[in-house]
Amino acid sequence: MADLFTILAVSAGAVLFLAGTLGLLRFPDTLTRLHALTKVDNLGLGLVVLGLLPQLGWLAAAKMLAVWLLVQLSGAVVTQILARSVRGEGES
Amino acid sequence: MMETGFDVVLALMLLGVGGWSIIARNMMTAVIIFIAYGLLLSLAWVRLHAVDVSLTEAAIGSGATGLLMVIAAHKVAGDSQRVVRLSRGFHVLAAVFATLVAIGIASLAFVLPGAPVSLAAPVLERLPESGLGNPVAGVLFVYRSFDTLLEKVVLLLALIGVWALARDQDWGGVPGLRLFQHPHSVLMLLARTLPPIGFVFAIYMTWAGADVPGGAFQGGTVLAAMWILVMVAGVRRVPRVSSPLLRLAIVAGPLVFLAIGFLGFVAPGVFLAYPDGLAKPLIVVMEVALTLSIAVILGLLIAGPPRAKDSA
């Protein structure tokens, strides 16, 4: 049951990674590309972590969650800065 | 089977990305591909069970070096007068020499005389005497401490090299790091929330380096990253290079290392040897001093040479 959950969640995460990469390559401008990438950070990595949780002890699980949260934080900030610099709202 | 497949794909990606970074026409593109290459390389080190090397590759090879090259590429691109267009012949010559070096190194690897003597077993056998659990830390601080000492001095020389680029009238001023100061910026949020976490993580990495992968270099790089973030966001100012406290932090690591090295003359009678039973505490003292120095030196390497404009 736990294994099935892991397979489903990690696969769904991988699909989001693939979709995000496709978006990065195929979308026309920086803002839409950023939009595609945020899904990878957020949901893609989130689903992979979520899927791996039942396979881990509580300490390793806490570490995985911390990794996901830190990626959330840095991803959100970097996306904001990139988007603002594209729109020419200072910051650089 | 699954793992072999992964390794083959990884090796092919390394070759492909490496080649791509060479043929990329735009300098900034080449640098960004090089950073991706470094991250792939650190994955390869994990596959070879060399986690210490992998951490260093990701932190120094990809992160710190990558950032230095991004800054360099940006500076060159912004200063088009100083871009030197090289002739085609020069490119060909460079390619020929680079290929010869690569072939030379590769052929050396194939003609190694017989099976190399592995010292792994004797090292592991006597490792517990040092009080360390991580064989990499054992080799760095017990068997090859002289090399480790010189490695830190090289880092110091690199910083002197960067500082030597300053013009005479700028000497003693503030490094010309490009800042992104903005009181309500999201970077400010990151620079205020991330450092406490990074600080704890850096200390953990340095401390855990005695028994598991980690150590002064990895911990120092995390500290340096936090310091750069704080400086770039403008939470704290970039210090003048003439600051005595800053200089003390730069030389603290090598100084403590040398002092403990000379202490070896007093107790066991040999340079860089540790007195009986004191190996572990002395190594920890050295690691702490080195972490501080590595963090400050890396931060200053990225901050660049002093520039007069902002020093007022």
Side-chain angles (χ1 to χ4, degrees):
Chain A
M1 187 60 204
D3 286 352
L4 185 70
F5 175 73
T6 299
I7 291 170
L8 283 177
V10 174
S11 305
V15 169
L16 275 161
F17 266 89
L18 190 68
T21 312
L22 270 178
L24 178 70
L25 293 173
R26 300 296 302 162
F27 278 164
D29 61 45
T30 310
L31 288 181
T32 48
R33 283 184 197 149
L34 283 176
H35 165 78
L37 270 187
T38 49
K39 305 300 162 288
V40 177
D41 278 6
N42 230 305
L43 271 174
L45 185 64
L47 280 169
V48 171
V49 168
L50 191 70
L52 291 177
L53 286 185
Q55 312 288 333
L56 302 166
W58 67 271
L59 188 62
K63 283 182 189 172
M64 294 282 277
L65 281 175
V67 167
W68 180 63
L69 283 173
L70 285 172
V71 170
Q72 289 300 292
L73 183 65
S74 66
V77 169
V78 170
T79 312
Q80 281 268 341
I81 291 172
L82 278 175
R84 283 189 193 183
S85 78
V86 167
R87 290 180 56 185
E89 285 183 13
E91 289 238 310
S92 66
Chain B
M1 186 59 218
M2 187 78 183
E3 294 194 343
T4 316
F6 182 82
D7 290 346
V8 169
V9 170
L10 186 62
L12 288 177
M13 275 171 78
L14 269 169
L15 282 175
V17 173
W20 189 18
S21 85
I22 292 173
I23 57 171
R25 299 202 73 81
N26 183 317
M27 201 186 303
M28 195 58 98
T29 315
V31 168
I32 288 166
I33 298 167
F34 175 82
I35 294 173
Y37 175 77
L39 290 176
L40 281 174
L41 201 58
S42 69
L43 262 185
W45 284 118
V46 172
R47 292 294 304 148
L48 293 168
H49 302 285
V51 182
D52 285 270
V53 188
S54 166
L55 285 172
T56 314
E57 172 61 38
I60 304 283
S62 186
T65 315
L67 188 51
L68 277 176
M69 292 205 289
V70 165
I71 296 169
H74 186 80
K75 279 200 173 141
V76 171
D79 194 353
S80 53
Q81 288 169 338
R82 272 159 57 184
V83 178
V84 183
R85 290 265 163 251
L86 298 171
S87 67
R88 183 164 279 275
F90 196 90
H91 278 283
V92 172
L93 210 63
V96 167
F97 277 119
T99 313
L100 279 179
V101 170
I103 291 174
I105 294 171
S107 56
L108 273 183
F110 282 116
V111 296
L112 281 176
V117 186
S118 173
L119 295 173
V123 166
L124 275 180
E125 193 182 307
R126 304 207 54 182
L127 188 67
E129 287 175 35
S130 67
L132 297 169
N134 179 4
V136 176
V139 169
L140 282 179
F141 284 101
V142 182
Y143 291 99
R144 286 262 165 242
S145 46
F146 192 59
D147 298 13
T148 309
L149 171 64
L150 292 182
E151 207 176 277
K152 307 311 164 200
V153 176
V154 164
L155 211 55
L156 202 60
L157 289 177
L159 181 63
I160 293 172
V162 167
W163 280 359
L165 296 173
R167 293 180 302 174
D168 276 358
Q169 65 264 34
D170 299 344
W171 178 244
V174 174
L177 183 71
R178 250 178 106 224
L179 305 181
F180 292 83
Q181 282 169 317
H182 195 280
H184 307 294
S185 90
V186 274
L187 192 61
M188 191 65 116
L189 173 78
L190 192 67
R192 286 197 168 130
T193 47
L194 201 57
I197 304 170
F199 214 78
V200 172
F201 186 58
I203 293 170
Y204 167 73
M205 260 183 134
T206 308
W207 175 253
D211 294 312
V212 289
F217 233 109
Q218 293 86 345
T221 316
V222 174
L223 271 189
M226 293 305 124
W227 190 38
I228 292 164
L229 178 62
V230 163
M231 287 194 295
V232 167
V235 177
R236 281 275 178 277
R237 279 206 294 195
V238 188
R240 289 169 169 278
V241 296
S242 54
S243 150
L245 205 64
L246 190 74
R247 298 214 178 160
L248 186 67
I250 292 169
V251 293
L255 266 189
V256 169
F257 210 134
L258 269 178
I260 289 175
F262 280 116
L263 189 73
F265 278 127
V266 181
V270 190
F271 183 57
L272 279 172
Y274 307 112
D276 272 341
L278 282 178
K280 178 75 193 283
L282 285 178
I283 290 173
V284 169
V285 170
M286 271 162 37
E287 288 248 37
V288 169
L290 284 175
T291 308
L292 177 72
S293 289
I294 289 169
V296 175
I297 291 176
L298 284 177
L300 288 171
L301 279 178
I302 285 162
R307 204 178 49 181
K309 213 166 63 184
D310 298 330
S311 65

